Amino acid sequence: MRTAVPAVPQYIIWRDERKISNRNTPPTTQTQTQIAHKKYNTRNMKFITTNFVKCAVKTCDSSVDAFPLQYSDCQIVQEELEYNPEFIVHMLERLEWNAVVKVARDLGNESLPPVKPEGLDPIMEDDQVILRDLHTLLVETQIVEGKMVCRNCEHIYFIKNSIPNFLLPPHLC
Ligand SMILES: [Zn+2]
């Protein structure tokens, strides 16, 4: 028997059980130290960032293939961040959902709903579950290392230490 396709959409790409839940606890391992320090870096490459970056090469400006970038060889972590349901509802309106689904697939999650969840209300219990999951996906999931490839010009951008590098060599600017 094959495993049935889950009826409920799964928003979570990867759940880190070691998530740092208390920032006052001194880190105990080198890995945790590194993750803890990233809390204070606002340039962290969160999943949501993938919805706002495209290829920087001039000739890709008008190409539909320059967004979203294709993500490969990515290493992701999850970091517990303050949950703000209103922010998620507001962001959701602005998100290009097709791109969210595409990038999630790049990162190994095939089960996002094809249609953007809309009209979510933080007061409704069912919606709360979805909003929580979206918070984990969009805000708490971060890409630490990896490649972003333009589907149009195939230029590769690298993400290192959770910081995406969009600097181009002079001949591409
Ligand atoms: Zn490009």
Side-chain angles (χ1 to χ4, degrees), residues 53-55 57-70 96 98-99 102 149-153:
V53 295
K54 53 179 268 187
C55 182
V57 175
K58 250 203 181 121
T59 48
C60 289
D61 247 5
S62 54
S63 169
V64 289
D65 293 324
F67 174 83
L69 295 165
Q70 184 163 24
E96 188 91 45
N98 285 343
K102 255 189 194 173
V149 187
C150 174
R151 291 169 219 259
N152 188 49
C153 72

Side-chain angles (χ1 to χ4, degrees), residues 19-21 23 38-41 44 46 78-84 132 135-136 138-142:
K19 237 186 333 191
I20 299 164
S21 54
R23 63 173 69 188
K38 286 187 187 124
K39 271 193 203 309
Y40 306 102
N41 187 344
N44 269 9
K46 297 181 172 60
Q78 262 166 15
E79 170 183 33
E80 200 162 289
L81 292 171
E82 198 187 333
Y83 172 56
N84 180 345
R132 270 273 171 199
H135 167 72
T136 302
L138 300 170
V139 181
E140 295 187 324
T141 301
Q142 300 176 8

Side-chain angles (χ1 to χ4, degrees), residues 4-41:
V5 177
V8 181
Q10 306 287 308
Y11 293 90
I12 311 301
I13 289 178
W14 183 72
R15 201 182 281 281
D16 185 356
E17 302 301 337
R18 301 164 303 133
K19 237 186 333 191
I20 299 164
S21 54
N22 185 349
R23 63 173 69 188
N24 296 321
T25 309
T28 52
T29 69
Q30 188 57 31
T31 319
Q32 285 183 345
T33 306
Q34 286 166 2
I35 295 171
H37 282 165
K38 286 187 187 124
K39 271 193 203 309
Y40 306 102
N41 187 344

Side-chain angles (χ1 to χ4, degrees), residues 19-173:
K19 237 186 333 191
I20 299 164
S21 54
N22 185 349
R23 63 173 69 188
N24 296 321
T25 309
T28 52
T29 69
Q30 188 57 31
T31 319
Q32 285 183 345
T33 306
Q34 286 166 2
I35 295 171
H37 282 165
K38 286 187 187 124
K39 271 193 203 309
Y40 306 102
N41 187 344
T42 52
R43 293 167 68 202
N44 269 9
M45 181 80 189
K46 297 181 172 60
F47 185 96
I48 199 169
T49 313
T50 66
N51 219 262
F52 299 98
V53 295
K54 53 179 268 187
C55 182
V57 175
K58 250 203 181 121
T59 48
C60 289
D61 247 5
S62 54
S63 169
V64 289
D65 293 324
F67 174 83
L69 295 165
Q70 184 163 24
Y71 292 76
S72 69
D73 302 330
C74 289
Q75 193 188 324
I76 48 184
V77 297
Q78 262 166 15
E79 170 183 33
E80 200 162 289
L81 292 171
E82 198 187 333
Y83 172 56
N84 180 345
E86 281 76 26
F87 171 79
I88 300 296
V89 169
H90 176 70
M91 282 315 298
L92 204 53
E93 284 170 19
R94 302 171 55 191
L95 288 182
E96 188 91 45
W97 188 255
N98 285 343
V100 171
V101 174
K102 255 189 194 173
V103 175
R105 199 177 297 145
D106 287 349
L107 297 177
N109 182 340
E110 307 263 348
S111 49
L112 281 186
V115 177
K116 191 199 280 196
E118 275 178 291
L120 296 175
D121 185 343
I123 293 170
M124 306 295 290
E125 217 171 290
D126 287 353
D127 291 357
Q128 274 174 27
V129 176
I130 299 175
L131 285 168
R132 270 273 171 199
D133 282 356
L134 283 169
H135 167 72
T136 302
L137 170 70
L138 300 170
V139 181
E140 295 187 324
T141 301
Q142 300 176 8
I143 306 172
V144 192
E145 306 280 333
K147 293 177 194 164
M148 302 174 280
V149 187
C150 174
R151 291 169 219 259
N152 188 49
C153 72
E154 295 178 353
H155 186 77
I156 300 173
Y157 299 90
F158 289 91
I159 303 163
K160 288 209 169 87
N161 295 317
S162 206
I163 296 171
N165 183 356
F166 285 99
L167 292 180
L168 289 171
H171 70 278
L172 287 174
C173 291

